[in-house]
Amino acid sequence: MVWLFRVPYLPYIILILLIQEGHSQKRCLDEEPPLYSKEDNVHVVVGASLEKMLVEPAVGKLVQFLNSYCGNCRRFAKTFRKMAVDLQKWNRVLRIYAVDCARLENVELCRDFRITQTPTIRYFPSKFQRIRHGTGTDIETKIPSEIVDQLIESLSGNDYSESKGVKPIFDPIEPDNKLNDIFAQFDNKVSYIFLVHPVDIGIETILNMLPYPEVGVRIIKDAEMFANFGLKPCKQMVALLDKSGKAQLIKPVGGSSSAYVESVAGLLHQNGHTSMPTLPPAEPEYNLSEGHDAFIVDYVQNSTKVLFQADLEQAIYQLLHVEIPKTAFISGFKFKALRHIIRLFRRFNVLNRDGRRMLNSLVNHLFEVTEITGEEFRNVVDDLQTRLDPIFAEQQYVGCLGSTPHTRRFSCSLWTLFHYITVLAAQMKVYPPSSVTIGLYGLAKFFYDCKDSSMYFIKLAKRRDIAKVKSHDEEILWLWEAHNEVNEKLAGDASGDPRFPKVQFPERKHCPDCYSTDSGEFDRDEVLKYLKRVYDLSYLSGDEERHSRKANNCKPKKKTYLVK
């Protein structure tokens, strides 16, 4: 069999043809299915439409700002989804939204809201005015019960004066209130009044009874007031009264809000009343890739370590157009870190000729100013690109393509990019050792909003003395060891790709010489040789003609990736 760049000729031809076919019909990256859906009782928001939703009167809004490439956001999705489905019963007074800050359309939105870490959960009251001067409140927990407790408190203080339906009333009844007065407070649109004591359980019960619009819930602050309605106050906690004043017999099994609601719901069902439908617990069904994507995934998984131009470009594209522009204001050490990162990209350029021109001009601009906003940075990048031929031909991962939505992709491409740059830096020796890893440190600290990953890398860098790397070879190995430590931490994690489990690399099948025959430990000298080989410029897979096509076209012409 004829071999081309260490790949059998026939599979090589098949891979090229399938990628060509796939790219002629491949969707844009931003068309990946979101982490949530309406079936989860979560409304996925794109761009400026959130502001219109937040000004909706008479309802509170719970918004999760997330990054779909962030492992802890994907892990949290299952918890948030289950909570949102359960809170469907509060839909009369609460809307739940999700904003993916990894999407290009949401950069301005996440920047205006000052989202510096994900996931961020923020509550907005019914009288929200504008994004830039909003009064949203961060919920500093990821525990559903604690989120619900904060929502109960917040929703009880909302302004429901503009409610289209029967508005909830959270204030306790007054001592002189008569039953007719209480029905009138609900515009006589309810069939029953449910009296609840004490106050804290009463507030939660008002919310949990919202699926039953025929019942108006009022709180009794003092149990003695049950006597005002002809009831015995002794140990009285709840009472259900119809318009004639007759008390309906209810026997809660327990003293919780859920027990109260369950008892009333049972009685209502017996009397022919129905509640609003609830949603079943939903789990997204993410099927594995099919067609050309499946072939690429299969090939990458079963081949030796390869390096693709497309993945390197995607990492830089995401950083220049999304991650950095999301930052509201860049000054001080953050600005110095930005300068350093862009200088690294310019010096160790992985883009085409016009990409180098853009990076040259971008570096020059960053040395003409001492601070910059994320919006200004994005405008500079966009302006430079309009003056040049297309730089980022298409938004498509290849070697970093995941087998399911949101897995691998940007995080994989970011690691790949910096491994590649460490090897290139060792060849060129134009910057001191540790310059590349220090750049990655600045990126993680200032421009990567995935909180858990960012904080872990910062601690890892300090623990492994990132600034004390003395040679370029040490820098290559430092990043390799750091990457393997992260892989070990994430091994078996629910946020991982089922086809690409987190393992120590290089695997023995890719580099047998990298393992000591006696102990099975890594042979660092052989690992260094391996890394220098697979992340070498000559090992880079890509083609030149694609740069002549229009950038970011969702329906590009056929293109070829040379697989080595």
Side-chain angles (χ1 to χ4, degrees):
M1 181 179 290
V2 178
W3 285 72
L4 180 61
F5 298 116
R6 302 178 183 173
V7 177
Y9 183 72
L10 182 57
Y12 168 79
I13 293 298
I14 294 175
L15 180 63
I16 289 177
L17 292 176
L18 283 176
I19 294 178
Q20 286 177 340
E21 177 185 359
H23 282 291
S24 67
Q25 58 187 7
K26 180 65 179 176
R27 63 177 180 266
C28 286
L29 289 179
D30 284 340
E31 294 177 9
E32 293 285 350
L35 284 177
Y36 302 102
S37 68
K38 289 184 178 180
E39 285 71 27
D40 304 323
N41 192 35
V42 179
H43 303 269
V44 178
V45 182
V46 177
S49 60
L50 179 64
E51 184 171 10
K52 298 179 181 178
M53 298 174 182
L54 291 183
V55 298
E56 182 181 358
V59 293
K61 301 91 181 176
L62 186 70
V63 183
Q64 183 195 161
F65 296 89
L66 61 102
N67 186 321
S68 55
Y69 294 141
C70 184
N72 51 308
C73 290
R74 296 199 301 274
R75 285 189 292 272
F76 180 62
K78 183 176 182 179
T79 300
F80 191 80
R81 184 180 297 113
K82 186 176 184 300
M83 182 191 72
V85 169
D86 185 58
L87 293 182
Q88 191 263 356
K89 58 182 177 285
W90 294 3
N91 275 359
R92 281 172 56 192
V93 297
L94 178 69
R95 300 286 185 272
I96 302 177
Y97 300 99
V99 178
D100 187 355
C101 293
R103 291 186 58 143
L104 186 65
E105 298 94 330
N106 292 332
V107 168
E108 182 177 354
L109 187 64
C110 295
R111 181 177 62 235
D112 287 344
F113 276 108
R114 303 294 194 267
I115 303 302
T116 59
Q117 61 186 40
T118 53
T120 288
I121 304 175
R122 192 166 291 175
Y123 173 80
F124 297 88
S126 57
K127 286 295 185 180
F128 178 79
Q129 296 300 319
R130 288 189 58 80
I131 285 180
R132 296 180 187 275
H133 306 287
T135 55
T137 303
D138 283 350
I139 295 180
E140 299 295 341
T141 181
K142 303 298 181 292
I143 301 173
S145 60
E146 295 179 0
I147 296 174
V148 170
D149 288 343
Q150 294 182 58
L151 284 174
I152 291 172
E153 180 180 359
S154 299
L155 291 171
S156 66
N158 256 358
D159 183 347
Y160 297 102
S161 59
E162 298 183 48
S163 177
K164 295 180 180 179
V166 176
K167 63 179 183 290
I169 303 174
F170 290 91
D171 294 329
I173 63 174
E174 298 296 331
D176 58 348
N177 282 161
K178 304 300 182 183
L179 186 59
N180 289 340
D181 297 331
I182 296 175
F183 273 102
Q185 290 168 350
F186 291 101
D187 299 326
N188 291 308
K189 293 180 179 179
V190 299
S191 302
Y192 301 95
I193 295 297
F194 187 27
L195 303 178
V196 182
H197 174 78
V199 174
D200 55 346
I201 295 180
I203 292 175
E204 184 177 359
T205 303
I206 291 173
L207 295 170
N208 291 337
M209 284 297 298
L210 288 173
Y212 300 89
E214 63 268 37
V215 179
V217 183
R218 293 303 308 272
I219 297 171
I220 285 189
K221 190 173 183 179
D222 184 354
E224 295 295 326
M225 293 175 60
F226 278 105
N228 296 353
F229 304 94
L231 303 169
K232 295 180 180 180
C234 181
K235 297 183 179 180
Q236 189 80 40
M237 302 297 287
V238 295
L240 185 67
L241 305 174
D242 62 19
K243 289 187 176 181
S244 68
K246 180 182 178 180
Q248 306 292 312
L249 181 62
I250 56 173
K251 295 181 179 180
V253 182
S256 65
S257 173
S258 59
Y260 294 172
V261 172
E262 184 177 351
S263 63
V264 174
L267 180 62
L268 292 174
H269 288 155
Q270 290 177 14
N271 294 340
H273 297 275
T274 58
S275 67
M276 294 172 59
T278 57
L279 296 172
E283 288 293 337
E285 295 182 1
Y286 289 152
N287 297 321
L288 298 180
S289 301
E290 299 178 351
H292 67 281
D293 277 3
F295 186 91
I296 296 172
V297 167
D298 286 341
Y299 179 83
V300 172
Q301 186 178 36
N302 297 312
S303 69
T304 58
K305 181 70 176 180
V306 294
L307 184 64
F308 290 93
Q309 175 78 20
D311 299 325
L312 303 182
E313 287 189 8
Q314 272 306 112
I316 295 179
Y317 180 90
Q318 185 76 9
L319 290 170
L320 295 184
H321 293 83
V322 179
E323 303 303 323
I324 295 173
K326 281 190 297 189
T327 308
F329 189 68
I330 307 171
S331 62
F333 289 112
K334 185 182 295 187
F335 185 75
K336 291 181 180 179
L338 175 61
R339 277 180 176 172
H340 181 62
I341 293 166
I342 304 303
R343 288 179 69 193
L344 286 175
F345 292 164
R346 178 188 65 173
R347 173 60 65 179
F348 307 114
N349 180 50
V350 302
L351 305 176
N352 58 12
R353 183 184 305 172
D354 284 294
R356 178 182 294 277
R357 291 173 180 170
M358 178 196 68
L359 292 172
N360 278 334
S361 297
L362 186 56
V363 168
N364 292 337
H365 179 80
L366 292 178
F367 276 88
E368 293 173 355
V369 297
T370 57
E371 57 189 23
I372 195 171
T373 67
E375 183 178 10
E376 289 169 346
F377 181 88
R378 170 73 179 276
N379 290 338
V380 171
V381 172
D382 288 346
D383 181 62
L384 290 173
Q385 287 188 204
T386 59
R387 305 178 189 180
L388 302 167
D389 287 336
I391 298 168
F392 301 96
E394 292 148 16
Q395 297 184 48
Q396 170 66 53
Y397 292 100
V398 179
C400 285
L401 182 65
S403 67
T404 58
H406 312 301
T407 56
R408 304 187 77 226
R409 292 171 171 81
F410 177 59
S411 58
C412 166
S413 68
L414 192 61
W415 280 112
T416 302
L417 174 65
F418 276 87
H419 281 303
Y420 170 73
I421 293 178
T422 58
V423 171
L424 202 57
Q427 295 173 349
M428 299 176 66
K429 294 182 172 60
V430 293
Y431 282 164
S434 80
S435 295
V436 178
T437 47
I438 289 294
L440 181 57
Y441 176 85
L443 183 62
K445 183 175 182 178
F446 298 119
F447 301 106
Y448 195 56
D449 63 21
C450 185
K451 181 183 178 182
D452 287 359
S453 300
S454 174
M455 294 303 298
Y456 185 82
F457 185 83
I458 290 171
K459 292 177 180 178
L460 178 154
K462 293 179 179 178
R463 176 164 38 83
R464 289 182 173 273
D465 294 327
I466 190 173
K468 293 185 178 180
V469 174
K470 301 301 182 183
S471 71
H472 291 289
D473 286 352
E474 285 183 25
E475 184 173 38
I476 295 173
L477 290 172
W478 187 97
L479 187 60
W480 163 69
E481 289 177 330
H483 193 171
N484 266 344
E485 180 178 325
V486 173
N487 281 350
E488 183 177 16
K489 176 179 181 290
L490 296 177
D493 188 83
S495 65
D497 191 308
R499 294 285 301 275
F500 294 88
K502 298 293 184 182
V503 297
Q504 300 296 286
F505 85 100
E507 295 182 66
R508 189 182 292 272
K509 64 181 180 180
H510 295 150
C511 182
D513 293 339
C514 292
Y515 290 80
S516 171
T517 55
D518 298 329
S519 64
E521 300 292 328
F522 280 116
D523 183 325
R524 288 169 58 87
D525 291 336
E526 291 298 327
V527 169
L528 181 62
K529 294 178 184 177
Y530 171 83
L531 295 172
K532 286 185 173 182
R533 182 174 72 253
V534 297
Y535 290 109
D536 183 80
L537 177 62
S538 62
Y539 204 68
L540 183 63
S541 302
D543 68 288
E544 297 301 327
E545 59 87 19
R546 63 197 178 93
H547 290 297
S548 64
R549 298 193 295 271
K550 184 177 181 181
N552 307 327
N553 184 358
C554 293
K555 295 181 179 179
K557 297 179 181 179
K558 294 180 180 180
K559 84 176 182 180
T560 301
Y561 283 104
L562 301 181
V563 182
K564 303 176 182 179

